[in-house]
């Protein structure tokens, strides 16, 4: 098995994955990908209170995925995608591992097919 690159673990990787684990927070991030939004605007599609949405936003802020600005009395949330990029880089290391594992499995299956077509017996 190949060694994973240990340099791709940002300090807040756990916080990013914890934030992304919740479907409501993922939906909030998807909404914010279309532009800034207030808590009221983010609460609209959900059956939850504004304080509940604010709690989700705090988790996203701690993970570095969202920042809040102050615009008069409004505090719009804005997506910050950089921490997700770091999480994707970390996951891509596993993608390389799985690709290698599947390539090895393909080679083994091809070898077994050749052995079988040449009159080979699996029990030999």
């Amino acid at each position: 098995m190949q060694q994973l690159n240990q340099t791709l673990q940002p300090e807040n990787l756990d916080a990013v994955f914890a934030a992304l684990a919740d479907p409501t927070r993922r939906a909030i991030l998807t909404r914010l990908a279309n532009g800034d939004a207030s808590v009221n605007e983010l609460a609209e599609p959900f059956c939850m209170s504004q304080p509940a949405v604010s709690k989700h936003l705090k988790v996203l802020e701690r993970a570095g995925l969202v920042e809040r600005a102050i615009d008069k009395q409004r505090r719009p949330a804005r997506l910050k995608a950089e921490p997700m990029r770091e999480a994707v880089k970390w996951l891509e290391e596993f993608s390389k591992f799985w690709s290698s594992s599947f390539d090895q499995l393909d080679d083994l299956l091809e070898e077994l097919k050749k052995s079988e077509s040449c009159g080979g017996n699996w029990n030999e």
Side-chain angles (χ1 to χ4, degrees):
M1 180 170 19
Q2 66 189 39
Q3 184 97 12
L4 291 177
N5 184 352
Q6 298 299 315
T7 62
L8 293 179
Q9 293 187 8
E11 291 178 17
N12 69 336
L13 190 58
D14 290 344
V16 169
F17 282 119
L20 295 174
D22 185 274
T24 301
R25 290 192 287 268
R26 290 192 306 268
I28 289 170
L29 291 173
T30 299
R31 165 55 186 87
L32 291 175
N34 293 321
D36 298 0
S38 67
V39 173
N40 288 343
E41 293 166 333
L42 292 171
E44 276 179 18
F46 303 106
C47 291
M48 67 175 59
S49 66
Q50 292 173 2
V53 171
S54 290
K55 285 181 183 180
H56 283 293
L57 284 172
K58 285 180 185 172
V59 172
L60 293 168
E61 282 182 278
R62 280 194 300 271
L65 296 168
V66 167
E67 66 182 2
R68 306 277 302 271
I70 298 176
D71 179 20
K72 298 181 185 166
Q73 300 217 349
R74 199 171 163 249
R75 292 195 63 218
R78 174 177 296 128
L79 176 66
K80 288 178 57 182
E82 183 63 31
M84 278 191 274
R85 181 180 302 138
E86 294 302 318
V88 168
K89 285 181 188 177
W90 189 84
L91 288 170
E92 283 173 346
E93 289 297 313
F94 285 97
S95 173
K96 293 174 189 174
F97 167 76
W98 285 113
S99 293
S100 172
S101 296
F102 287 136
D103 290 345
Q104 291 174 2
L105 181 59
D106 284 343
D107 293 344
L108 176 62
L109 290 173
E110 202 56 44
E111 190 177 307
L112 289 172
K113 284 180 188 176
K114 287 179 184 175
S115 173
E116 191 175 82
S117 68
C118 295
N121 188 338
W122 288 60
N123 295 324
E124 290 181 350

